[in-house]
PDB file of all heavy atoms in Angstrom:
ATOM      1  N   TYR P 101      48.753 128.843 103.064  1.00 96.00           N
ATOM      2  CA  TYR P 101      48.991 129.935 104.069  1.00 96.00           C
ATOM      3  C   TYR P 101      48.530 131.165 103.484  1.00 96.00           C
ATOM      4  O   TYR P 101      48.473 131.474 102.303  1.00 96.00           O
ATOM      5  CB  TYR P 101      50.534 129.921 104.415  1.00 96.00           C
ATOM      6  CG  TYR P 101      51.371 130.328 103.216  1.00 96.00           C
ATOM      7  CD1 TYR P 101      51.628 131.710 102.949  1.00 96.00           C
ATOM      8  CD2 TYR P 101      52.057 129.379 102.498  1.00 96.00           C
ATOM      9  CE1 TYR P 101      52.455 132.137 101.868  1.00 96.00           C
ATOM     10  CE2 TYR P 101      52.902 129.833 101.379  1.00 96.00           C
ATOM     11  CZ  TYR P 101      53.102 131.140 101.197  1.00 96.00           C
ATOM     12  OH  TYR P 101      53.868 131.466 100.146  1.00 96.00           O
ATOM     13  N   SER P 110      70.196 127.703 110.959  1.00 92.00           N
ATOM     14  CA  SER P 110      71.457 127.636 110.222  1.00 92.00           C
ATOM     15  C   SER P 110      71.939 126.186 110.148  1.00 92.00           C
ATOM     16  O   SER P 110      71.416 125.321 110.917  1.00 92.00           O
ATOM     17  CB  SER P 110      72.527 128.472 110.924  1.00 92.00           C
ATOM     18  OG  SER P 110      72.686 128.022 112.193  1.00 92.00           O
ATOM     19  N   THR P 140      79.274 107.928 121.671  1.00 92.00           N
ATOM     20  CA  THR P 140      80.542 107.514 120.991  1.00 92.00           C
ATOM     21  C   THR P 140      81.735 107.747 121.824  1.00 92.00           C
ATOM     22  O   THR P 140      82.675 106.930 121.722  1.00 92.00           O
ATOM     23  CB  THR P 140      80.629 108.441 119.712  1.00 92.00           C
ATOM     24  OG1 THR P 140      79.496 108.328 118.936  1.00 92.00           O
ATOM     25  CG2 THR P 140      81.942 108.065 118.935  1.00 92.00           C
ATOM     26  N   LEU P 155      80.779 127.586 120.851  1.00 85.00           N
ATOM     27  CA  LEU P 155      80.306 126.206 120.757  1.00 85.00           C
ATOM     28  C   LEU P 155      81.302 125.256 120.963  1.00 85.00           C
ATOM     29  O   LEU P 155      81.126 124.133 121.598  1.00 85.00           O
ATOM     30  CB  LEU P 155      79.617 125.960 119.401  1.00 85.00           C
ATOM     31  CG  LEU P 155      78.010 126.268 119.156  1.00 85.00           C
ATOM     32  CD1 LEU P 155      77.620 125.938 117.804  1.00 85.00           C
ATOM     33  CD2 LEU P 155      77.251 125.502 120.326  1.00 85.00           C
ATOM     34  N   LYS P 169      89.728 112.255 127.669  1.00 93.00           N
ATOM     35  CA  LYS P 169      90.792 113.110 127.245  1.00 93.00           C
ATOM     36  C   LYS P 169      90.264 113.929 126.038  1.00 93.00           C
ATOM     37  O   LYS P 169      89.827 113.384 124.903  1.00 93.00           O
ATOM     38  CB  LYS P 169      92.035 112.386 126.882  1.00 93.00           C
ATOM     39  CG  LYS P 169      93.198 113.350 126.569  1.00 93.00           C
ATOM     40  CD  LYS P 169      94.428 112.681 126.261  1.00 93.00           C
ATOM     41  CE  LYS P 169      95.511 113.620 125.778  1.00 93.00           C
ATOM     42  NZ  LYS P 169      96.779 112.961 125.379  1.00 93.00           N
ATOM     43  N   GLU P 211      94.382 115.905 108.550  1.00 95.00           N
ATOM     44  CA  GLU P 211      93.744 114.710 108.016  1.00 95.00           C
ATOM     45  C   GLU P 211      93.057 113.865 109.097  1.00 95.00           C
ATOM     46  O   GLU P 211      93.596 113.807 110.302  1.00 95.00           O
ATOM     47  CB  GLU P 211      94.805 113.852 107.227  1.00 95.00           C
ATOM     48  CG  GLU P 211      94.236 112.611 106.648  1.00 95.00           C
ATOM     49  CD  GLU P 211      95.213 111.792 105.809  1.00 95.00           C
ATOM     50  OE1 GLU P 211      96.504 112.221 105.921  1.00 95.00           O
ATOM     51  OE2 GLU P 211      94.946 110.912 105.119  1.00 95.00           O
ATOM     52  N   LYS P 493      58.448 116.110 153.007  1.00 93.00           N
ATOM     53  CA  LYS P 493      58.812 115.832 154.371  1.00 93.00           C
ATOM     54  C   LYS P 493      57.473 115.628 155.275  1.00 93.00           C
ATOM     55  O   LYS P 493      57.468 114.880 156.174  1.00 93.00           O
ATOM     56  CB  LYS P 493      59.792 116.889 154.882  1.00 93.00           C
ATOM     57  CG  LYS P 493      61.183 116.748 154.483  1.00 93.00           C
ATOM     58  CD  LYS P 493      61.953 117.964 154.654  1.00 93.00           C
ATOM     59  CE  LYS P 493      62.075 118.432 156.116  1.00 93.00           C
ATOM     60  NZ  LYS P 493      62.827 117.487 156.953  1.00 93.00           N
ATOM     61  N   ASP P 500      53.139 106.446 157.658  1.00 91.00           N
ATOM     62  CA  ASP P 500      53.972 105.372 158.127  1.00 91.00           C
ATOM     63  C   ASP P 500      54.337 104.586 156.783  1.00 91.00           C
ATOM     64  O   ASP P 500      53.361 104.078 156.022  1.00 91.00           O
ATOM     65  CB  ASP P 500      53.239 104.424 159.038  1.00 91.00           C
ATOM     66  CG  ASP P 500      54.193 103.597 159.822  1.00 91.00           C
ATOM     67  OD1 ASP P 500      55.370 103.706 159.765  1.00 91.00           O
ATOM     68  OD2 ASP P 500      53.727 102.601 160.442  1.00 91.00           O
ATOM     69  N   ARG P 544      69.255 100.991 146.082  1.00 72.00           N
ATOM     70  CA  ARG P 544      68.878 101.296 144.787  1.00 72.00           C
ATOM     71  C   ARG P 544      68.580 102.852 144.612  1.00 72.00           C
ATOM     72  O   ARG P 544      68.688 103.446 143.512  1.00 72.00           O
ATOM     73  CB  ARG P 544      67.735 100.562 144.304  1.00 72.00           C
ATOM     74  CG  ARG P 544      68.056  99.061 144.128  1.00 72.00           C
ATOM     75  CD  ARG P 544      66.609  98.254 143.900  1.00 72.00           C
ATOM     76  NE  ARG P 544      65.926  98.466 145.147  1.00 72.00           N
ATOM     77  CZ  ARG P 544      64.665  97.975 145.288  1.00 72.00           C
ATOM     78  NH1 ARG P 544      64.142  97.265 144.318  1.00 72.00           N
ATOM     79  NH2 ARG P 544      64.012  98.210 146.462  1.00 72.00           N
ATOM     80  N   TYR P 562      88.529 103.956 142.008  1.00 91.00           N
ATOM     81  CA  TYR P 562      87.989 104.527 143.179  1.00 91.00           C
ATOM     82  C   TYR P 562      89.059 105.088 144.120  1.00 91.00           C
ATOM     83  O   TYR P 562      90.175 104.726 143.979  1.00 91.00           O
ATOM     84  CB  TYR P 562      87.235 103.437 143.995  1.00 91.00           C
ATOM     85  CG  TYR P 562      85.932 103.078 143.244  1.00 91.00           C
ATOM     86  CD1 TYR P 562      85.979 102.150 142.176  1.00 91.00           C
ATOM     87  CD2 TYR P 562      84.694 103.553 143.533  1.00 91.00           C
ATOM     88  CE1 TYR P 562      84.760 101.738 141.437  1.00 91.00           C
ATOM     89  CE2 TYR P 562      83.562 103.328 142.896  1.00 91.00           C
ATOM     90  CZ  TYR P 562      83.635 102.369 141.854  1.00 91.00           C
ATOM     91  OH  TYR P 562      82.450 102.107 141.085  1.00 91.00           O
ATOM     92  N   MET P 655      89.484 117.065 171.955  1.00 97.00           N
ATOM     93  CA  MET P 655      88.100 117.405 171.721  1.00 97.00           C
ATOM     94  C   MET P 655      87.666 116.886 170.340  1.00 97.00           C
ATOM     95  O   MET P 655      86.579 116.304 170.075  1.00 97.00           O
ATOM     96  CB  MET P 655      87.863 118.964 171.840  1.00 97.00           C
ATOM     97  CG  MET P 655      86.439 119.336 171.421  1.00 97.00           C
ATOM     98  SD  MET P 655      85.184 118.692 172.484  1.00 97.00           S
ATOM     99  CE  MET P 655      85.328 119.784 173.845  1.00 97.00           C
ATOM    100  N   THR P 663      79.910 111.461 166.573  1.00 96.00           N
ATOM    101  CA  THR P 663      79.107 111.794 165.447  1.00 96.00           C
ATOM    102  C   THR P 663      79.289 110.926 164.146  1.00 96.00           C
ATOM    103  O   THR P 663      78.506 111.086 163.322  1.00 96.00           O
ATOM    104  CB  THR P 663      79.288 113.250 165.104  1.00 96.00           C
ATOM    105  OG1 THR P 663      80.667 113.486 164.819  1.00 96.00           O
ATOM    106  CG2 THR P 663      78.950 114.151 166.205  1.00 96.00           C
ATOM    107  N   VAL P 693      84.309 124.611 166.476  1.00 97.00           N
ATOM    108  CA  VAL P 693      84.584 124.720 167.948  1.00 97.00           C
ATOM    109  C   VAL P 693      85.933 125.383 168.037  1.00 97.00           C
ATOM    110  O   VAL P 693      86.882 124.934 167.461  1.00 97.00           O
ATOM    111  CB  VAL P 693      84.591 123.354 168.533  1.00 97.00           C
ATOM    112  CG1 VAL P 693      84.829 123.495 170.104  1.00 97.00           C
ATOM    113  CG2 VAL P 693      83.250 122.640 168.249  1.00 97.00           C
ATOM    114  N   VAL P 727      79.656 121.263 175.047  1.00 97.00           N
ATOM    115  CA  VAL P 727      80.124 121.180 173.657  1.00 97.00           C
ATOM    116  C   VAL P 727      79.527 119.895 172.992  1.00 97.00           C
ATOM    117  O   VAL P 727      78.876 119.979 171.922  1.00 97.00           O
ATOM    118  CB  VAL P 727      81.685 121.027 173.446  1.00 97.00           C
ATOM    119  CG1 VAL P 727      81.996 120.823 172.020  1.00 97.00           C
ATOM    120  CG2 VAL P 727      82.306 122.387 174.078  1.00 97.00           C
TER     121      VAL P 727
END
Side-chain angles (χ1 to χ4, degrees):
Y101 64 83
S110 61
T140 304
L155 271 183
K169 182 181 178 183
E211 183 177 6
K493 279 165 61 70
D500 199 12
R544 293 166 299 178
Y562 291 81
M655 174 62 78
T663 55
V693 181
V727 175

